[in-house]
């Protein structure tokens, strides 16, 4: 249930409104100035090759490079998904429905979505190196999104942090997301192995049982 934030709107406002909109775009937060993450990562294209089509300029597949990069990012995150979620909830009260380790330029951040009262959502950025909250953004979203999330969690006894802890035995957790569409409710969890291989898991909302997520394989077939 990834909620996309329309940064283009802020950028357009900056062109029209001058300094005020620009200040908002730089901070990325309507409550506190965003701070830089302590975890820096290398550029995607360190060898100057073009990997937009899955091959470099010499025509070689770069899957191994991608895996190495994913493994390096997972190792760089000293703060676990569960710890990032707990840090975000200490900053903004509510229910965490998603956490993802993301690249922002040359930095890594944990981005945690918290559903608060009504249709209010908080997006909290947590430093994956220190666990410090870097900033947050508050938005009013469509009522249906909030209703779907609350309906999926109505009889749940397993939180996003607990789902991350349950799946941690499978690898380094890089993403936890509530699946609130259809009848197959659960926590969708992505892990990265020591070799950079990514795996997808489903964590049961009531038992915390971890099973392999075959839905992506089915859709590919």
């Amino acid at each position: 249930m990834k909620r996309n934030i329309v940064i283009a709107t802020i950028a357009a406002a900056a062109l029209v409104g001058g300094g005020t909109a620009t200040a908002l775009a730089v901070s990325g937060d309507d409550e506190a100035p965003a701070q830089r993450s302590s975890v820096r990562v290398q550029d995607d294209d360190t060898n100057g090759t073009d990997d937009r089509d899955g091959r470099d300029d010499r025509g070689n597949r770069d899957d191994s490079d991608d895996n190495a990069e994913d493994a390096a990012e997972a190792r760089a995150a000293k703060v676990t998904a569960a710890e990032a979620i707990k840090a975000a909830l200490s900053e903004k009260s509510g229910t965490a429905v998603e956490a993802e380790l993301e690249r922002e330029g040359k930095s890594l951040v944990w981005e945690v979505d918290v559903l608060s009262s009504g249709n209010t959502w908080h997006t909290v950025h947590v430093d994956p190196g220190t666990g410090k909250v870097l900033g947050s953004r508050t938005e009013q979203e469509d009522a249906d999104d909030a209703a779907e999330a609350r309906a999926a969690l109505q009889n749940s006894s397993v939180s996003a942090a607990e789902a991350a802890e349950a799946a941690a035995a499978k690898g380094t957790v890089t993403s936890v997301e509530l699946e609130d569409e259809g009848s197959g409710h659960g926590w969708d969890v992505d892990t990265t192995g020591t070799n950079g291989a990514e795996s997808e898991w489903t964590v049961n909302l009531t038992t915390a049982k971890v099973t392999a997520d075959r839905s992506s394989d089915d859709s590919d077939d």
Side-chain angles (χ1 to χ4, degrees), residues 37 39-46 65-66 68-70 72-73 100-111 125 128 174:
S37 170
V39 180
R40 309 286 283 174
V41 292
Q42 293 182 343
D43 292 336
D44 290 335
D45 191 8
T46 56
D65 291 339
D66 289 343
E69 184 178 293
D70 291 341
E73 291 179 4
E100 186 170 4
L101 185 64
E102 293 192 339
R103 291 177 64 113
E104 291 202 342
K106 295 183 179 181
S107 298
L108 279 183
V109 296
W110 279 111
E111 184 174 286
H125 282 183
T174 56

Side-chain angles (χ1 to χ4, degrees), residues 30-97:
D30 58 2
E31 297 174 359
Q35 303 176 55
R36 177 178 292 183
S37 170
S38 66
V39 180
R40 309 286 283 174
V41 292
Q42 293 182 343
D43 292 336
D44 290 335
D45 191 8
T46 56
N47 295 322
T49 56
D50 182 0
D51 60 358
R52 286 173 295 179
D53 61 353
R55 294 176 180 269
D56 62 24
D57 288 341
R58 295 178 298 276
N60 300 318
R61 291 195 177 277
D62 53 6
D63 289 347
S64 60
D65 291 339
D66 289 343
N67 286 348
E69 184 178 293
D70 291 341
E73 291 179 4
R75 287 194 302 269
K78 305 305 181 184
V79 174
T80 66
E83 291 168 341
I85 291 168
K86 292 172 184 177
L89 291 176
S90 69
E91 177 76 10
K92 297 294 182 183
S93 61
T95 302
V97 295

Side-chain angles (χ1 to χ4, degrees), residues 155-170 185-187 189 201-212:
N155 298 316
S156 171
S157 57
V158 178
S159 68
E162 291 168 338
E165 290 172 340
K170 305 296 185 180
H185 295 164
W187 291 107
V189 182
W201 311 90
T202 297
V203 179
N204 189 281
L205 288 172
T206 56
T207 67
K209 181 180 180 181
V210 181
T211 56

Side-chain angles (χ1 to χ4, degrees), residues 104-134:
E104 291 202 342
K106 295 183 179 181
S107 298
L108 279 183
V109 296
W110 279 111
E111 184 174 286
V112 183
D113 287 345
V114 177
L115 173 60
S116 187
S117 59
N119 304 324
T120 301
W121 296 80
H122 304 290
T123 298
V124 184
H125 282 183
V126 178
D127 191 316
T130 65
K132 181 180 179 180
V133 173
L134 301 173

Side-chain angles (χ1 to χ4, degrees), residues 137-182:
R137 176 174 47 248
T138 301
E139 297 177 282
Q140 298 295 323
E141 292 289 336
D142 189 283
D144 290 342
D145 290 342
E148 288 175 357
R150 290 195 172 94
L153 292 170
Q154 185 173 7
N155 298 316
S156 171
S157 57
V158 178
S159 68
E162 291 168 338
E165 290 172 340
K170 305 296 185 180
T172 300
V173 175
T174 56
S175 175
V176 181
E177 181 179 359
L178 176 65
E179 175 54 63
D180 59 3
E181 297 180 358

